Amino acid sequence: MADKLIIFDTTLRDGEQSPGASMTKDEKIRIAKQLERMKVDVIEAGFAAASPGDFESIKAIASIIKDSTICSLSRANDRDIARAAEALQAAQRKRIHTFIATSPLHMEKKLRMTPDQVLEQAIQAVRYARNFTDDVEFSPEDGSRSDMDFLCRVLEAVIKEGATTINFADTVGYAVPELYGNMLKSLRERIPNSDKAVWSVHCHNDLGMAVANSLAGVMIGGARQIECTINGLGERAGNTALEEIVMAVRTRKDYFDLQLGIDISQIVPASKLVSQITGFAVQPNKAVVGANAFAHASGIHQDGILKARDTYEIMRAEDVGWSANKLVLGKLSGRNAFKQRLEELGISLESETEVNAAFARFKELADRKSEIFDEDILALVSDEEYAHNNDAFHYVSLSQRSETGELPYAKVVFTSEGKEVACEGNGNGPVDAIVNAIDSKVQSGAELLLFSVNAITTGTQSQGEVTMRLSKAGRIVNGVGADPDIVVASAKAYLSALNKLQSKTEKLNPQI
Ligand code: KIV
Ligand code: ZN
């Protein structure tokens, strides 16, 4: 029987560490639900001690998610570990993941600790974490630049203390596949109790080799857990991409011969959700989840595909969740059909009031757009959740004028703490005019870091989805808005970002 490969998703922790990707509690819950739907084995839900916001998110996810193990990161100290344990209390299956740096550079310059002190702290941390759960993961941070003899001492000692997973971290993306795989192999051979733990890989993508390094860690090094993120989101150049790992192991089962528990039909919905929430667009030529991943432009390829699909296709788009813009609902569709489609898409709105509100928005949209696709419904529900949870500002209406030779003008009406506010502004373009109009009342003092607009489906009738990333006093937030009119979508995105800047519960600082 083939070995199981454990998929450990860290989109909500390491992924969130990428600048600008910070998420609200509700957004994290939505992603966690999608990860559970996709059947990932372990969800690293955050870093409990990093902020009250992170703590609350982990706590909520731990009480909602039933099928995946929920994990919190913690530094190797009692306070962090106790905080992780507290956040994880309600989880059906919980893991504490503790780490400390082991490379000479990190120990000397960052921690200012001797190797013996690091060894002692690692032992203490695992011993303490075992008081709260039997499932304890230990990571030697910057492991791939650490001394092998020292790593052997530390890892043997933490396994003896009860660490059940050892995660060999390539923190700075320095590894190359063969060397990384061989380091792991050598660790497992040299450490006498190595068979008492599951070995894991955690690779960053600074040299574009995170997926290759992870797979070498599995094939050469014998790792049976891969840490990864949706769309490869993560610090700097990102982490190992979950979708690439899963599809590589599945498509080349002849070589890898490993079992996976993942429901691959949920891969594209997960990719879209993470991209929509974080505002990190997926490059079109990205493997598996990029818009062009299954597009054949050359005549020779198209001819081959028509004759036999497998001439140029090693995976099927529909298997990983690409749907061909299926027309699902229209103006005449009733509430029941709408509710059923929500269920089919795996969306569970909390109450009938929420379903009614989403249905009212659907009807409004159907009046303006004759064909409603799954993507429209997802955007609409996402708008609904934003509107529901961030109550400072709500979009009401907009009028806007642009003409060659004239300064663009916008009038925006929105509610602020329940009261209607009307404002006007000019700008060098329609979006600038909207932002200036809103800012004449809100005076946000925020800087716009990113503006992007994407068509949700094909065709000129498509809704535009706008992402705006704002920065203020060290905080970076993303706002998203969708509408068939991209100027309206921009106003909604701006108000959504302002709502997040106002939110007190959101995390104030990046994790580490
Ligand atoms: O990259 C890294 O070293 C990490 C550890 C905390 C596992 O994310
Ligand atoms: Zn990392």
Side-chain angles (χ1 to χ4, degrees), residues 218-390:
V218 169
M219 292 310 281
I220 305 174
R224 288 296 176 264
Q225 172 177 288
I226 295 189
E227 302 203 350
C228 45
T229 59
I230 305 291
N231 299 337
L233 192 69
E235 289 255 16
R236 308 180 307 278
N239 284 67
T240 302
L242 179 147
E243 59 280 359
E244 295 180 20
I245 289 292
V246 167
M247 290 317 291
V249 170
R250 239 186 93 106
T251 308
R252 297 305 310 270
K253 189 161 178 24
D254 57 316
Y255 175 68
F256 291 107
D257 192 24
L258 290 164
Q259 272 192 60
L260 286 167
I262 300 292
D263 174 356
I264 61 167
S265 69
Q266 295 300 324
I267 286 181
V268 169
S271 162
K272 289 190 173 177
L273 182 65
V274 169
S275 164
Q276 185 203 41
I277 285 178
T278 59
F280 278 57
V282 175
Q283 75 196 55
N285 58 334
K286 166 91 173 60
V288 186
V289 293
N292 284 357
F294 294 89
H296 299 273
S298 106
I300 295 175
H301 288 207
Q302 285 174 348
D303 179 54
I305 288 279
L306 289 174
K307 287 177 175 146
R309 237 179 129 165
D310 52 1
T311 49
Y312 287 100
E313 266 186 17
I314 56 166
M315 304 170 267
R316 296 190 321 172
E318 56 272 34
D319 289 350
V320 293
W322 283 106
S323 64
N325 277 341
K326 269 198 314 234
L327 169 64
V328 287
L329 296 171
K331 201 177 160 121
L332 300 176
S333 307
R335 187 181 177 283
N336 281 346
F338 176 70
K339 201 173 162 196
Q340 188 186 332
R341 194 62 202 148
L342 287 181
E343 277 158 23
E344 285 162 6
L345 287 170
I347 299 165
S348 52
L349 293 180
E350 309 257 295
S351 63
E352 285 302 301
T353 323
E354 279 188 14
V355 176
N356 289 343
F359 184 62
R361 291 169 77 98
F362 160 74
K363 282 290 187 189
E364 221 176 88
L365 182 64
D367 272 343
R368 300 162 65 203
K369 186 174 186 292
S370 55
E371 300 174 324
I372 308 281
F373 301 104
D374 283 346
E375 289 82 349
D376 292 312
I377 297 177
L378 288 169
L380 183 140
V381 171
S382 150
D383 263 10
E384 189 56 38
E385 293 195 3
Y386 283 121
H388 211 77
N389 296 316
N390 303 301

Side-chain angles (χ1 to χ4, degrees), residues 13-14 17 73 97 99 139-142 167 169-172 202 204 227 239 512:
R13 197 279 297 172
D14 212 327
Q17 281 173 225
L73 185 68
H97 175 190
F99 73 98
S139 292
E141 192 193 8
D142 206 18
N167 180 43
D170 181 30
T171 306
V172 291
H202 177 108
H204 281 263
E227 302 203 350
N239 284 67
I512 45 175

